[in-house]
Amino acid sequence: MPDSPTAPFGSLAPRDFLNTYWQKKPLFIRDAFPDFTSPVTANELAGLACEPDVQSRLILEQGGAHPWELRHGPFDPSAFGDLPETHWTLLVQEVDRLLPDAAALLDHFDVVPSWRLDDIMISYAPEGGNVGAHIDNYDVFLLQAEGTREWAIGHDPVENERIVPDLDVRILADFTPDETLTARPGDLLYLPPRVAHHGISKSDDCLTISVGFRAPSHRALVQSFAQDAAQQIPDTARYSDPDRPLPNAPGELPTYDRERARQLVRQRLESLLSDDAALDDWFARTLTTPAPGRDAPPREEPLSPKTLVAHLRDGTGLRRGPVAHLVFTDAEDGTRTLYINGQARVLSEAEAPLAPRIAGRARIPADDLTDLLGQAAVQKLLTELVNDGVLELDHVLADA
């Protein structure tokens, strides 16, 4: 397995973080990223918020049309000149999809499998800017990139929150913090799901990076499985009743039909639920399927395997493309399957070692691939992924 970037837990071992803090209690790590340099400036973040395919928001506690006004992007650049001097926040989602340097931060959080990582959101706020006291239904790491932010946090998950009514944003009506912290560049705050928190900018240059984690609801998972399972049943399989008895009354739903329907559904579900391989395949496909309307952009000038290998041997690494969801699974029979944006590919013996080197990583140094480049199958697979836009050449790694 290739080396991972240093975990940002200071003297705390990743295993101890999982055992003591993950989904249990908050953790504040001073100088988790020493000498940290933000992957984006405030002006660059504002520029991203003006782009049409970028999710962005402005929250104005004061100075808007009403308290806690919420505005959705994309924004016209002139919108930022009309903002008040204080008490507003700009938030931009999926910055990891837009900026490779931001995406590279995700590699530091491989303490859990990469499928659990959702996206990087970055916020900018002048002094006083905040989004109110709130809770998230997922784990989150909050990395201070520039400036200073004061965090007021609870210690325990909130079971039943009360929300201030009639606002554009969800703000807790009664939040009493257990602890107050001051975050400076490189400091990191971890919060488990549903732990209340309130971050207020204490400077005019406050940039905060939020690394959010996926937490699919049980409802969403069951709905997804049911829809997928239904597609596996042939349309020719129809309700039948060759041994039907005479009904007592035409309008009755007889015991015969109710029992037959129960049996039909139970047999279908039992068959589907007893197939572990099929369940694993559904789960992996579901996790790696891009959002509707999102497709990996193919490379404009396709590379040949020979050219790609030359780049890699010269030290040019690879990085994940803007729409690239990859996981792999190992079956009991030794088969390894790579899932690429919702599509399953059973790997050959030669291809199999490649999966852990490219799945779940934002940046892939060329050195991590060198020993596999003699395999024609590996060359072919890497070339397909690059030409399909799933992976990209990363010239930054070549220059590092």
Side-chain angles (χ1 to χ4, degrees):
M1 183 70 92
D3 293 335
S4 297
T6 304
F9 306 126
S11 60
L12 187 69
R15 186 180 302 278
D16 293 333
F17 167 76
L18 287 177
N19 292 339
T20 306
Y21 295 96
W22 177 255
Q23 300 214 321
K24 301 174 187 69
K25 60 183 180 179
L27 174 66
F28 184 67
I29 306 165
R30 181 74 68 189
D31 209 26
F33 288 81
D35 304 316
F36 184 75
T37 300
S38 176
V40 67
T41 66
N43 285 337
E44 291 168 341
L45 192 70
L48 291 176
C50 297
E51 296 185 7
D53 63 339
V54 174
Q55 299 178 48
S56 58
R57 294 168 288 159
L58 275 168
I59 297 177
L60 288 77
E61 179 187 7
Q62 303 174 13
H66 48 79
W68 297 107
E69 181 188 0
L70 172 63
R71 301 175 185 174
H72 291 280
F75 299 102
D76 187 274
S78 63
F80 297 103
D82 297 333
L83 291 171
E85 291 187 4
T86 63
H87 291 82
W88 57 269
T89 299
L90 170 67
L91 306 103
V92 179
Q93 299 284 156
E94 296 185 321
V95 181
D96 53 302
R97 181 176 65 85
L98 307 169
L99 301 177
D101 285 345
L105 288 171
L106 296 175
D107 286 342
H108 290 273
F109 297 95
D110 62 356
V111 67
V112 295
S114 61
W115 79 262
R116 283 282 265 126
L117 287 162
D118 191 1
D119 77 332
I120 285 180
M121 180 185 74
I122 301 184
S123 67
Y124 165 77
E127 188 167 359
N130 71 104
V131 299
H134 64 285
I135 60 173
D136 298 314
N137 290 314
Y138 50 83
D139 304 86
V140 63
F141 285 96
L142 297 154
L143 170 61
Q144 194 61 26
E146 289 184 5
T148 305
R149 184 178 291 273
E150 181 180 274
W151 287 105
I153 66 171
H155 284 169
D156 300 308
V158 176
E159 292 187 6
N160 298 298
E161 71 271 26
R162 287 199 313 113
I163 302 298
V164 178
D166 303 321
L167 296 181
D168 292 351
V169 294
R170 290 177 61 84
I171 295 178
L172 296 175
D174 45 7
F175 171 54
T176 302
D178 295 311
E179 187 176 3
T180 301
L181 305 159
T182 300
R184 299 180 178 84
D187 293 346
L188 184 68
L189 174 63
Y190 164 72
L191 295 170
R194 300 190 64 81
V195 169
H197 53 288
H198 188 191
I200 302 176
S201 170
K202 293 299 181 179
S203 64
D204 284 329
D205 58 346
C206 181
L207 279 171
T208 305
I209 297 172
S210 171
V211 180
F213 286 73
R214 298 172 74 178
S217 69
H218 292 188
R219 177 187 300 175
L221 288 174
V222 171
Q223 285 178 336
S224 170
F225 173 74
Q227 291 171 354
D228 189 81
Q231 298 302 313
Q232 312 307 315
I233 301 173
D235 192 52
T236 53
R238 298 287 178 141
Y239 186 92
S240 62
D241 49 2
D243 53 351
R244 165 169 293 288
L246 280 171
N248 295 322
E252 179 189 7
L253 181 59
T255 300
Y256 170 88
D257 292 287
R258 299 200 309 270
E259 289 179 345
R260 196 167 185 83
R262 291 196 298 264
Q263 182 184 35
L264 183 155
V265 172
R266 284 172 179 152
Q267 285 179 342
R268 285 293 183 183
L269 288 177
E270 287 170 1
S271 174
L272 292 165
L273 293 172
S274 65
D275 189 340
D276 287 349
L279 276 167
D280 291 349
D281 178 68
W282 154 77
F283 192 42
R285 285 186 288 106
T286 298
L287 294 178
T288 57
T289 298
R294 288 278 174 82
D295 296 303
R299 183 180 171 85
E300 292 183 3
E301 297 181 5
L303 297 177
S304 68
K306 181 178 179 180
T307 302
L308 176 60
V309 169
H311 280 296
L312 294 171
R313 292 197 187 281
D314 286 342
T316 301
L318 299 175
R319 67 186 180 211
R320 190 171 57 202
V323 182
H325 306 283
L326 292 90
V327 301
F328 70 91
T329 61
D330 287 333
E332 292 183 0
D333 63 2
T335 302
R336 175 168 286 177
T337 303
L338 179 64
Y339 291 84
I340 308 161
N341 287 347
Q343 301 297 315
R345 176 170 180 149
V346 178
L347 301 179
S348 66
E349 184 178 350
E351 295 169 327
L354 185 63
R357 308 194 193 196
I358 61 173
R361 305 181 71 195
R363 279 189 161 151
I364 307 156
D367 287 348
D368 289 350
L369 304 172
T370 303
D371 64 314
L372 301 179
L373 294 180
Q375 298 282 348
V378 170
Q379 296 178 15
K380 183 175 183 291
L381 176 53
L382 284 174
T383 304
E384 288 177 9
L385 294 174
V386 170
N387 289 337
D388 288 345
V390 177
L391 299 178
E392 299 177 342
L393 290 172
D394 190 357
H395 296 285
V396 173
L397 286 177
D399 298 335

